[in-house]
Amino acid sequence: MTRAGPWRNLLDPSEPEERARRPVCALVLLLCGLAVFSVYFVTLRGSVPAFGPDAYEYAQTARNIARGDGLKTSTVSVLELSLLGHSDFPLPYLSHDIGNSLLMSLLFRVFGVADSTVGWFGGTFFILLPPLTFLLASRLFGTPVALLAAALVLTSAQLITYSTSGLSEVPYAFFLSLLFYFLSRPFGKRELFLTGGLCGALVVLRSNSLPFLPWIILFLWFVSLERGELVLSGPESRQPRWSALRRWVFRSLPWFLAGFALLSVPNSARNYYWLGSPLYNVNSMHASLFHTSATQGKSTSLFSRPGVRINPLQSLLEHRQDLPFKVRQQLSQTIAMLLNGGQLSEGDNWADLVLIFLFVASALAPPLVESRQERGLRRLVYCLMLTSLFAGALFTLRWRHLYGFFPIVVIYDAEVLMRIFGIPRGARGLSAQTVPVSRVLRASGGLVVVLLLLGSGQILEPISSDNARERREVNGYYQRMGDFLKGSAPKNALILVKCGPGTKSELRFALSWYSRRLTIEFADYTLQTLKAERSGRPLFLLIASTGPQWEEPTPEEMASLGVTAPQRWFLGTARAALFQVE
């Protein structure tokens, strides 16, 4: 005798039963995501985000947006000052893509500006990912696969760690998964418009998503063609396919392009106005020089050179002899980092290796029964991943740029494991998907699942490692230096920041976030430029170090810089000296 209700026979393959269970399962997974993130961030991390240089940059820009100052940055490099001018501070934010700061500013408006809000920003998208993964997987493969995929997302050491970083990895994973969900559904004009809007949002969040656009349009055309939506009935049905394509281009495609343009064109127009290019920001424009004879590796010193304005495509052509080395080096580094879990832990993250192995297995042995749209979506995922790898390798590529694909990857991984278990897909009556398997294979599949779920224990390493303790100590220095600046310099001050020996360049971003003051990279160019024109704002020079090494200017150097006697700050090995520029 069976019980009634949504939990009766959870692996029941009938479509009506699945549909009734999906909202309940999604809600439960949402609450599980909230519980997991709360334990990790509030209990284990003490509501302290895992800040890095980009996170400080996003946060201080989001604060400016939230308080009504617009898309402005309060921390400026030498290159930005030379490209954008110096008559109006804070300067327009053009260093990186604006999407992450725009989203973060929404939380700042609701919950206030604080370190904890930065952590909850990524946490919000982490909490939403398990139910979204479940809904997408249930459309493609049914409830058993969906539950396993959602569990793998919920216990992902990578996703939960990056959710507290203030970076765009987890928000990007959410919007990319949402795009795949829309692409798995039937298409009408409204769906095409919303899908285009999602593509535009992805480009604003990460401009390296722009090369995805041709593949997605090709997929939309393929799906419409396979469904017969482009073939007219009667005698006209014999028209050549190019005629059907023409009708689709003029009747359906404009809805997709309208949604895309609505989200992406304002940002492109802004980039064109300030930088002369609609496709690039300051970072991506100059990334074409990374790993070439012009710049060794991914050098931040490039942004300390005034007046370097380049054409990215022309730059790639000029350094075409460097491209094979550049692409090969970045691809090899990225793949190696993906295989061992990136910089998440001091050792190898074997859970990532297992996931990648299963994903390759799913590509080599796809499901026996797939609709044309499902097969097209699978191939689209492969195309987008390869495009992300090779297009990124031409500019700048990091292993974590692929983490946006994590939910769709574990969906295909879970499908492979369900086949090993011999569990039916449970959707659209495709129980023939299963094949006879031995007990050894089923036991192996169970062991893989246990290993993957146990891999979540590695989320403790980023908190307990020596590097993490050093990171927290340095962040404490930043906070106290920020308090020192707040008490020593007026709100409208311009503060040139010079990093002492062994001090990270992120200091300027961190001090802008904690002091709420405008910080500028120190160089002869910035010093002389601001001396000549500072619009009546007081100008200061801060020399700071977070390590034991310390070099304070001699009286002769102070005279040449035109600075007065300093105010000093000390805490452990960290110290700072603040000079007012005459």
Side-chain angles (χ1 to χ4, degrees), residues 382-403:
Y382 301 153
C383 289
L384 297 192
M385 293 183 74
L386 291 174
T387 300
S388 184
L389 278 169
F390 286 100
L394 289 175
F395 291 88
T396 181
L397 180 65
R398 307 194 73 180
W399 78 98
R400 55 186 174 87
H401 292 173
L402 275 294
Y403 283 168

Side-chain angles (χ1 to χ4, degrees), residues 191-270:
E191 287 74 19
L192 284 170
F193 180 80
L194 292 175
T195 302
L198 274 174
C199 290
L202 281 172
V203 171
V204 174
L205 186 60
R206 276 201 185 160
S207 54
N208 58 7
S209 301
L210 186 61
F212 295 172
L213 198 61
W215 295 114
I216 294 171
I217 291 176
L218 187 63
F219 172 79
L220 294 174
W221 152 251
F222 166 79
V223 170
S224 299
L225 189 66
E226 291 298 330
R227 288 179 175 173
E229 297 172 6
L230 305 180
V231 182
L232 300 178
S233 58
E236 293 180 328
S237 62
R238 298 180 181 179
Q239 293 182 23
R241 186 163 288 194
W242 67 265
S243 179
L245 173 61
R246 183 177 59 188
R247 292 195 307 276
W248 182 78
V249 166
F250 287 103
R251 294 181 185 179
S252 299
L253 183 60
W255 289 95
F256 172 83
L257 295 178
F260 177 79
L262 182 66
L263 270 292
S264 64
V265 166
N267 183 54
S268 297
R270 180 175 177 270

Side-chain angles (χ1 to χ4, degrees), residues 26-346:
L27 178 59
V28 171
L29 288 168
L30 183 73
L31 297 176
C32 289
L34 176 61
V36 169
F37 181 78
S38 298
V39 170
Y40 178 76
F41 184 59
V42 179
T43 304
L44 299 180
R45 292 199 63 92
S47 297
V48 177
F51 268 126
D54 289 349
Y56 291 122
E57 179 186 315
Y58 293 138
Q60 58 87 19
T61 303
R63 180 177 60 201
N64 287 339
I65 299 170
R67 66 186 185 188
D69 292 339
L71 273 165
K72 300 291 186 70
T73 179
S74 294
T75 180
V76 183
S77 68
V78 174
L79 180 59
E80 288 174 298
L81 188 68
S82 66
L83 291 178
L84 304 176
H86 51 271
S87 58
D88 184 23
F89 289 108
L91 293 183
Y93 178 60
L94 292 153
S95 179
H96 287 92
D97 297 314
I98 63 175
N100 204 55
S101 294
L102 286 171
L103 291 171
M104 193 182 296
S105 69
L106 298 178
L107 259 71
F108 282 169
R109 285 176 180 260
V110 176
F111 299 106
V113 177
D115 282 9
S116 59
T117 311
V118 174
W120 277 100
F121 160 69
T124 301
F125 290 99
F126 173 81
I127 293 166
L128 293 172
L129 263 179
L132 177 59
T133 303
F134 171 81
L135 293 173
L136 173 58
S138 62
R139 283 198 60 82
L140 296 175
F141 300 118
T143 299
V145 172
L147 288 173
L148 178 55
L152 293 176
V153 168
L154 195 63
T155 57
S156 165
Q158 276 74 13
L159 290 179
I160 192 164
T161 301
Y162 277 103
S163 70
T164 66
S165 68
L167 300 175
S168 61
E169 269 61 37
V170 178
Y172 185 74
F174 173 81
F175 283 105
L176 189 59
S177 301
L178 190 60
L179 174 65
F180 290 137
Y181 179 76
F182 271 82
L183 293 175
S184 70
R185 295 166 56 86
F187 291 111
K189 293 179 178 178
R190 183 181 64 177
E191 287 74 19
L192 284 170
F193 180 80
L194 292 175
T195 302
L198 274 174
C199 290
L202 281 172
V203 171
V204 174
L205 186 60
R206 276 201 185 160
S207 54
N208 58 7
S209 301
L210 186 61
F212 295 172
L213 198 61
W215 295 114
I216 294 171
I217 291 176
L218 187 63
F219 172 79
L220 294 174
W221 152 251
F222 166 79
V223 170
S224 299
L225 189 66
E226 291 298 330
R227 288 179 175 173
E229 297 172 6
L230 305 180
V231 182
L232 300 178
S233 58
E236 293 180 328
S237 62
R238 298 180 181 179
Q239 293 182 23
R241 186 163 288 194
W242 67 265
S243 179
L245 173 61
R246 183 177 59 188
R247 292 195 307 276
W248 182 78
V249 166
F250 287 103
R251 294 181 185 179
S252 299
L253 183 60
W255 289 95
F256 172 83
L257 295 178
F260 177 79
L262 182 66
L263 270 292
S264 64
V265 166
N267 183 54
S268 297
R270 180 175 177 270
N271 287 349
Y272 181 79
Y273 177 81
W274 288 105
L275 300 175
S277 171
L279 303 179
Y280 304 98
N281 52 52
V282 172
N283 194 282
S284 61
M285 179 180 289
H286 294 81
S288 57
L289 295 178
F290 292 163
H291 303 282
T292 66
S293 55
T295 303
Q296 294 299 317
K298 186 185 176 187
S299 176
T300 57
S301 65
L302 178 64
F303 302 100
S304 300
R305 308 175 197 171
V308 181
R309 185 183 290 271
I310 65 172
N311 182 311
L313 296 180
Q314 181 181 343
S315 173
L316 289 174
L317 291 175
E318 290 175 352
H319 296 90
R320 57 184 177 273
Q321 72 278 3
D322 298 326
L323 292 184
F325 167 78
K326 175 177 182 173
V327 171
R328 184 172 61 252
Q329 183 187 44
Q330 293 205 94
L331 284 177
S332 61
Q333 288 178 348
T334 298
I335 293 172
M337 295 294 273
L338 285 171
L339 291 175
N340 65 19
Q343 294 176 343
L344 181 66
S345 61
E346 297 177 354

Side-chain angles (χ1 to χ4, degrees), residues 411-488:
I411 287 174
Y412 289 122
D413 290 353
E415 190 275 332
V416 169
L417 287 170
M418 288 297 103
R419 267 191 279 162
I420 293 174
F421 292 145
I423 297 176
R425 285 177 54 164
R428 295 174 295 282
L430 296 177
S431 57
Q433 172 68 33
T434 60
V435 293
V437 292
S438 68
R439 291 183 179 180
V440 173
L441 278 179
R442 291 182 179 177
S444 300
L447 179 62
V448 168
V449 173
V450 171
L451 288 174
L452 289 174
L453 296 179
L454 288 177
S456 62
Q458 292 178 308
I459 64 175
L460 297 178
E461 291 190 34
I463 302 175
S464 59
S465 67
D466 292 337
N467 289 337
R469 283 191 289 271
E470 181 183 351
R471 174 77 246 186
R472 288 194 294 270
E473 184 178 82
V474 171
N475 192 70
Y477 291 156
Y478 293 156
Q479 293 186 53
R480 289 165 178 79
M481 269 191 216
D483 293 337
F484 165 67
L485 277 181
K486 281 194 290 187
S488 305

